[in-house]
Amino acid sequence: MARAPTTLLVRLYRFATWLATPFIGLLLWRRLKRGKEERGRMRERYGRASAARPKGPLIWLHGASVGEMLAVLPLIDRLRGRGFKVLLTSGTVTSARLAATRLPPDVVHQFVPLDSPLFVRRFLKHWRPDLVLLVESELWPNLILEVNARRIPLVLVNARMSPKSFASWQRVGSSAGALLGRVDLCLAQAPDDGARLKQLGAPRVVVTGNLKFDSPPPPVDIIAFDRLRYATAGRTALVAASTHPGEEEIVIEAHRQLAERVPGLITVIAPRHPERGPEVARLANEAGCPAVLRSDGYLPDRGTAIYIADTIGELGLFYRLGRVALLGGSLARKGGQNPIEPIKLDLAILHGPHTTNFDDLYRALDAGEGAAMVSDAPSLAAASFTLLTDGAARQHMVEAAQATIESFGGALDRSLAAIDPYLVQIRLERR
C-alpha cells in the first residue's frame, strides 16, 4: 500500500471538513429542496448504512453519476460471477433511480457519504470492503486517506484526467501527488489520461481503455416501446439526447426547418436533467412546435411535433425509435455526451464542436465517417435531412461508427486482468 506524505493543503482540507461537519445538514437540506437528494435516504450521506453488509468478500465500487454507473455494470457482473459481493455507491438522485432498475438484486446501492472524515469512517466501519474501485475521476481526499489508513487496496478504474482537470490539479501538484500516491493502481482510459495521472504522481498506471465500449446497449421495456412505436407509426424520428440549456433552442429551430421537408417528422428531446422538461416544453410551444411531456404520461399524437423525454432510464427506448441522434453537451460547452449506446442501436450520430469529454472517440468517428459535426440549427437541419432521407448514407455512417467502437473495445478484459491479483489476494486472506 502506497503511503505518500500528506501536504499542508490536504491537512487544511481535512481540518475544514471536520469543522464543517456539524453544518452538513444545512447543505443537505438545500440540496433536498433543489431535488438533488432523496429525503428517505439522506442518512446514507452521513455514512449511516440503510442495508446490512453482505457476508463474504465485498468489493466497493464508486461512480459519481449515471455514466460511471453504466460503465461498470459489465465489470460488476464479472465480479459477481467470481463469487464476490458488490457494493455500488453514487452521488446523484438520477443514478440512484437508475440503480433501482438496472442493478442485480444482490448488489447493494448506497449514496456515497459526504467527504467528511467522520462520515467516511462510519461508512467504512459498517461495510468493511476488501477492495475499493473508484470510477473515472473521483478523488475525494478524506475517502482516499481513510481507505489508505485501513490498508484497503484502492484502484482507479476507467480513470480519466481531462486537460481542464489536469490544469486544476497542477496548481496543487504536491497535494495531487499526496492523494494519487496512495492509490495502488490507476487503470487509465487512454494514453493521454495515463500520462497526466503519472505526471500528477500516480505510481502505477496501466492504460486499459474505456469500459464504456464494452457496455451492452441499454435495455428497453418492450410493452412501453410497442406503445410508443404504435403512437408514432409512419413518422420519422430525430432524437436529441442529453441536451443542455441553449441546445434545445437549436434543436427546436432545426425541427422547424426540417418539418417543411420531412413529412411526419417528430423530434424527441431528452434533457440531460429531466427536471428541465417543463422548461423545454415551454420553449417548443412558444416556437410553434406543439410539445408534450412523457413524465405527464402522454404519448405523442399526430399533432405532437416535439416529444419531451423527461424521464430516467428510458434513453434506450427513444434510441430504438429514432434514426438519427444528436448528442447533447456538444453544442453547449459541456464536453459532449457518450455516443456509444446510440451507435450500438444503429443510429447515425451528429454532434457539436465541444466534445472534450470524448475527444479521441469523436476524432476517430469523424475521421472514419462514423459521425458528423454540426454547429447551429441550419447545419443540424441539413445533416439530419440527408441522414433521415438517404438510407444508404445513414447505413454507411452507422457501419463506420460500429467499426470504430469495435476497434476501441477490450477494456473490460484488460481491466479485470489488472485487478485479478487483488481478487486472488482477497481469496487467500479469506481462507
Side-chain angles (χ1 to χ4, degrees):
M1 170 67 71
R3 281 195 172 274
T6 58
T7 63
L8 176 60
L9 184 59
V10 171
R11 292 194 293 272
L12 287 173
Y13 174 88
R14 282 176 67 77
F15 181 66
T17 50
W18 269 115
L19 290 179
T21 297
F23 307 101
I24 290 297
L26 297 175
L27 170 65
L28 288 174
W29 179 249
R30 289 181 61 188
R31 287 178 56 83
L32 179 66
K33 290 177 66 176
R34 295 164 58 195
K36 294 183 178 294
E37 298 289 342
E38 283 194 14
R39 183 182 298 274
R41 298 182 62 180
M42 287 176 64
R43 59 182 282 117
E44 296 172 23
R45 293 301 223 161
Y46 294 92
R48 295 189 173 98
S50 60
R53 185 198 188 279
K55 294 181 179 179
L58 178 69
I59 298 176
W60 170 25
L61 288 95
H62 171 65
S65 183
V66 168
E68 293 87 348
M69 178 181 295
L70 293 175
V72 296
L73 287 178
L75 179 59
I76 289 173
D77 286 339
R78 293 284 190 94
L79 294 171
R80 292 170 60 240
R82 294 192 177 197
F84 290 92
K85 301 297 183 182
V86 176
L87 165 69
L88 178 65
T89 60
S90 61
T92 66
V93 170
T94 306
S95 62
R97 293 174 182 169
L98 188 65
T101 62
R102 296 289 295 273
L103 289 181
D106 62 333
V107 175
V108 180
H109 175 269
Q110 298 278 278
F111 281 106
V112 70
L114 296 179
D115 199 45
S116 156
L118 175 63
F119 303 160
V120 176
R121 288 175 185 178
R122 183 183 288 151
F123 179 91
L124 292 171
K125 182 179 180 181
H126 175 83
W127 292 106
R128 306 186 312 280
D130 296 280
L131 173 65
V132 179
L133 306 178
L134 302 182
V135 186
E136 295 205 0
S137 54
E138 286 293 283
L139 298 177
W140 290 104
N142 287 319
L143 187 155
I144 291 173
L145 293 171
E146 295 297 335
V147 167
N148 186 252
R150 288 158 181 77
R151 299 188 177 276
I152 305 169
L154 177 61
V155 179
L156 295 186
V157 298
N158 219 40
R160 66 186 180 98
M161 180 62 63
S162 69
K164 182 177 179 180
S165 296
F166 178 65
S168 298
W169 279 109
Q170 275 191 311
R171 300 189 189 102
V172 292
S174 59
S175 295
L179 298 176
L180 285 170
R182 293 167 184 262
V183 174
D184 289 83
L185 178 63
C186 291
L187 305 181
Q189 291 186 15
D192 287 348
D193 296 305
R196 294 181 192 117
L197 288 164
K198 278 186 178 179
Q199 191 170 337
L200 289 174
R204 293 182 60 212
V205 177
V206 178
V207 178
T208 50
N210 191 336
L211 288 171
K212 292 176 181 177
F213 289 103
D214 295 328
S215 298
V220 67
D221 181 324
I222 297 299
I223 295 176
F225 179 59
D226 284 344
R227 289 172 177 164
L228 183 59
R229 184 169 53 180
Y230 179 79
T232 58
R235 304 187 68 179
T236 300
L238 169 67
V239 179
S242 298
T243 58
H244 291 259
E247 295 183 315
E248 291 93 3
E249 291 92 336
I250 295 174
V251 174
I252 292 165
E253 177 55 30
H255 174 92
R256 282 165 47 88
Q257 296 178 22
L258 273 170
E260 300 173 359
R261 306 170 67 191
V262 182
L265 176 70
I266 183 169
T267 296
V268 178
I269 300 180
R272 180 70 176 86
H273 301 288
E275 65 272 12
R276 293 188 55 248
E279 173 191 346
V280 178
R282 176 184 59 78
L283 291 171
N285 287 316
E286 288 178 353
C289 299
V292 295
L293 296 167
R294 182 163 180 82
S295 63
D296 285 341
Y298 291 115
L299 287 170
D301 60 23
R302 300 304 298 180
T304 303
I306 308 288
Y307 192 48
I308 312 299
D310 58 335
T311 52
I312 294 171
E314 288 195 309
L315 263 180
L317 179 72
F318 304 111
Y319 283 153
R320 285 172 171 84
L321 182 72
R323 297 182 185 178
V324 177
L326 169 73
L327 274 296
S330 59
L331 290 169
R333 295 180 179 272
K334 298 295 183 178
Q337 299 295 331
N338 181 359
I340 297 171
E341 288 185 344
I343 289 173
K344 289 188 175 183
L345 291 173
D346 299 331
L347 274 82
I349 302 300
L350 300 175
H351 63 88
H354 307 293
T355 57
T356 53
N357 290 342
F358 303 93
D359 253 351
D360 291 343
L361 174 55
Y362 276 109
R363 278 200 297 267
L365 287 170
D366 290 350
E369 300 183 344
M373 186 176 75
V374 297
S375 57
D376 52 21
S379 60
L380 174 58
S384 297
F385 176 77
T386 298
L387 293 168
L388 290 171
T389 59
D390 187 338
R394 183 172 65 253
Q395 187 63 25
H396 173 76
M397 179 176 283
V398 168
E399 291 177 356
Q402 290 175 344
T404 297
I405 64 172
E406 187 175 342
S407 71
F408 278 79
L412 178 59
D413 289 335
R414 290 189 290 269
S415 298
L416 197 60
I419 65 174
D420 189 63
Y422 299 98
L423 305 180
V424 172
Q425 185 62 32
I426 292 170
R427 289 289 192 204
L428 292 173
E429 292 174 355
R430 283 277 179 170
R431 284 183 178 177

